[in-house]
Amino acid sequence: MSSFAEHSTDYAVVESEPPEQLGRNLNTAGHLLASATAFFFLAFVFAYFYLRALNNAGLWRPRHVNPSLTLGTLAIVAVVASAVLIRLGLMDHRAGRRRQWRLKGWLALGLAGVAVALQIAEWATQGFGPADGGYASVYLGWTGLYAVFLLAVIYWIETLLATATRYRKIESGAPPAGHASGDSHRTGHDIHDPLSLVRPSLEALSFYWAFLAGIGVLTWFILYIL
Amino acid sequence: MAAAAPSTRAARDPSHGRRLIGAWILLSVILTPIVVWLAGKVIPPGNKTHQASEQVFDNQWIVAVSTPVALLMIAFFLYTLIVFRARDGELRDGPPIRGDARIQITWIVITSAAVLTLAVFGTYELLQNGAGGGQGPDPVAVPSGSKLPVQVIGQQWEFTYRYPTYGGLETPHLVLPADRQIELHVTSLDAIHSFWAYELGVKADANPGVDNVAYVKLKSPTTFHIHCAELCGLWHGYMFDTGKVVSQSDFAAWIKQQQAQFQPVSQYLPRYARSYYPDPQRRAG
Amino acid sequence: MSANAAVPTPPRRRVVGYNLLTGLVLGVVGYYVGWWIGHHIHATSIGYFADTNQNDIAVFLGYFLSVVGFLAGLGFLSYPWARVRGYPPSLREKETAGVARYFGLCTDHKVVGIQYLIGIGVFFFIGGLNAMLIRFELLRPGGQAFPAGNYLTLVGLHGTMMMGIMSSAILGPFANYVVPLMIGARRMAFPRIEALTFWLLMAAGTLLATTIFFGGFPTGWTGYEPLNDQANSGMDSYIVFFGLVGISMLLLGLNMIATIVTMRAPGLTWSRLPIFCWGVISTASLMLLASPVLIAALLMATLDRTAQTSFFIPSAGGSTYLYQNLFWVFGHPEVYILALPGFAVVLELLPVFARKPLWGYRLAVAGMLGVTLLSWLVWQHHLFVSGINGDLRPFYMLSTELISIPTGFTFLCGMMTLWRGRIRYTVPMLFCLAWFFNFLIGGLSGVFLSDVPSDVTTHGSFFSMAHFHYTIMGGLVFTFFAAIYYWIPKMTGFQLNDRLGKIHFWTMFIAFNSTFAPLFAIGFMGQPRRVVTYPSHLQFLNDWVSVSAFVLGASMLVFLANFVWSLVFARVPAPRNPWGSRSLEWQLPSPVPVHNFDKIPVFTDDPYGYGDDDGRVPAVVPVGAPAGGGS
């Protein structure tokens, strides 16, 4: 196996990757992730209509199973507003208004957090539990797992803002990257500019977050309105 | 092509295709009827009910279509693997043929025709009288004539049977009258089971809370084997029994005897229903 | 200068490094932390059993934190942690570190490929051992070796291990290794996710094996409700296993599609893409879209088992059909996740050994995409007698039988590639030819199962078991070995012994058919699947099958001996291109250098130009060309 180690890379010889590669990858991945997300929630859409149509043992939705429309609506409004802010932030970023983008980004992050908090408040105050029939099961499973997706998006937004904030003083396109961990085998050769990470990731995030917000609206419509 | 080496030209000899097709057609014409006839003899579930006979007939159709397919493959590979093998020391490439629209279209047409034949015939057989399969609570293929309803209740780990027309009598063994059309209502009290009466050609899953209907038209008196065909927990492998088809008079006598025997138990049974919702199956610890 | 100030200084070296050992230690610690926390969760609906040995919440939390600890020990958390703090990541980790990189997070796609091969091999061996034990039990009609519960656990472990782990059997080792080489890329689109998919799979397999500490699980690989809900906490291992496999498959699929879409070298148009890559795209798209449905269904089952929801409890407003539907919406694409890579390997290898271009390239692609599409429309054929949607059965019968049309495209393209070729009977070629035989039988027996009247008898019997072993073992495992014999010289730089390879092939091929062909008869004669007892008149056939299965198992030992002997002891260096292939990966040195290509190649042709006069390779590296991008 030692012969593997003999092939070390001489980065003076090997040409570097085209700079737009990361953006293309992230853009594709964002769309693929959105399609996977759609299939994930399709399972819940299916469960909702299936159990509702069957109404086994008459226990689809006992009378007291009635989540708060107000809190649910507020949570989804926060989600949609956050997605819109990220989109506006992206337009700022494209136009080079880095400060404005960060401001909108932090607001969007806060709103996504508010959405999760509202969802938790709703679970804490509702008058029914998971064992109260088909609707209660679908409602808690769906909203709960949607909240997990929200947390993932919050992480995503935070990483972009952290990078953008940490390097807010430097000009885009100049500095070399450093070692983020103590692993001596890591090389930063692929990333010459940490700020170059933000834009493609933001583009992908903007699409994915809008898509997830759309799923949120669908969730709201099915669970509260239908 | 004119520049090709002599051996290449030999490999392009068009008679290869004709030879192969000829051999295939000859083999198919001879062997297919034999295989179909043999299949009619040996393919289960046999001949003891109308549904079973129909399944055998359906299987013969499938065999009739798939035998030529199999023969084509066998003939092709025997021919190709022998004739077109690389001779010792020969490391040259074959002819750069990248496709042939006629062959592709022929292939697509023939496979589509075979597939559609099978699907149409299968649908026809299915809609005749359900082919003995479980059809759910709203059966689409309902045989005409009067039917004797029998309920099959799966539970871990045995089947019991209720006869709603005989006061909801429940028995641990299945006995059916000969020459009758039977309407089986299969349901479960706990996990999913599958009621498989092998010689009758009947299989229907037993789902809790679901009334799964299957039809079978019996012939003369016989015995048949019952298995659970869906993994239902610990003793799934032991969930089997032997059932009987008896003459009409024997059946009436048997019912009387059973009613008397189970009278002390029957009075505590729930009323006959299409399904029974037990308490939720939660673990006790 | 101010720019340099922004660069963080590297932290001190850690006392304990990120590697497999750290991962295992943290995994065990994580399990007990989760177990402890789980016993301190109280709520009205779960208080009933919170302090018993059947505390599923504690088991799930234990497994969850175990996986987190395992990944943390491997170093997967340093990336998200760096990102949270706003530091840029490296795209590559441990790519030049010698042997140690095989035991940890490594982002070199070639290392991940070899990790996958060994890791999947280990679990394939365990799954196969379970099969041997099952066949040992079935030597006699009555119960003899194992109690009924242990027997069911063996059946479940065999099925689940094989379905879950072997889903990545081609895409994990071989697509990870060769797809970047075939398309002229230096890496996968997401190297860290690539490594994650592998380690998730290893964590999954290990956790599944721990089910024996919780009494096993009784459901087989399908995990049907409500048996699933009844079962004791051994069931949790099954759920966690398939959940992790689902995440692993999803990410693997996403990574594969993204790589092939975005990282193709210039000139590699879609119509020049190697057919193997098309197979990978088909499989990956099924992985990407089917896995989420599985994960969702398993999360519902988890909620039923822990939070006492009632998704699948009919007496409390749920439905058992809901699980069956969701499971098979995943499950049928899943069986094509297993089968399609086999198509891809066969079509990729046939031109090399028949010395002819791939015949009907577009038809082959259409066949794979057709199978991919149709596989979404057939799932209720698993439920023909379940009482679900009786009126839809003709549709599912038709759609199921329609799948044989695109499958037939693959057959036609393969057969016509052989026609008039110069067939060389190398070991990989023998395995590919065996695929035709096995898949033909698997496909024809599938017609019986797809046809409702015939399915009434064959459904749930050994017939269907024989059918899917012919398609999956005959279709996937044979091509898995074809791929091993074909690509190992490239991956390791050493040749596998040809004579042992042929002995392996012939014993495996004959024993395989001798094992599974009689099972069709056994099924037709009325033996249901997954039973521990059977009628005594079936003993002769069952014994025949068992003995054949032991020979089949022994043939795997021949392979193992070959593998170890050739790679550890004999070490005969492989030439750069032992098969005379025109595909790009064979134009690189064996083994491939870390950076694959000094300059990104430019494609001028597809890799199937056999018989063209000039013998040129499909891609040229332009001297002094600018940095290449995708086409």
Side-chain angles (χ1 to χ4, degrees), chain B residues 11 55 58-59 81 198 203, chain C residues 420 425 451 454 457 459 524:
Chain B
Q55 286 180 29
D58 192 72
N59 280 333
L81 296 186
Y198 171 65
K203 192 176 281 153
Chain C
R420 296 177 191 277
Y425 295 105
D451 190 275
S454 180
T457 288
H459 185 94
F524 258 153

Side-chain angles (χ1 to χ4, degrees), chain C residues 427 431 485 496-507 555 557-566 570:
Chain C
V427 179
F431 277 100
Y485 282 102
L496 289 173
N497 186 296
D498 194 54
R499 181 179 297 266
L500 279 173
K502 284 190 169 141
I503 295 174
H504 169 218
F505 169 76
W506 284 110
T507 46
S555 75
L557 295 181
V558 175
F559 166 75
L560 203 63
N562 189 358
F563 195 78
V564 173
W565 166 255
S566 303

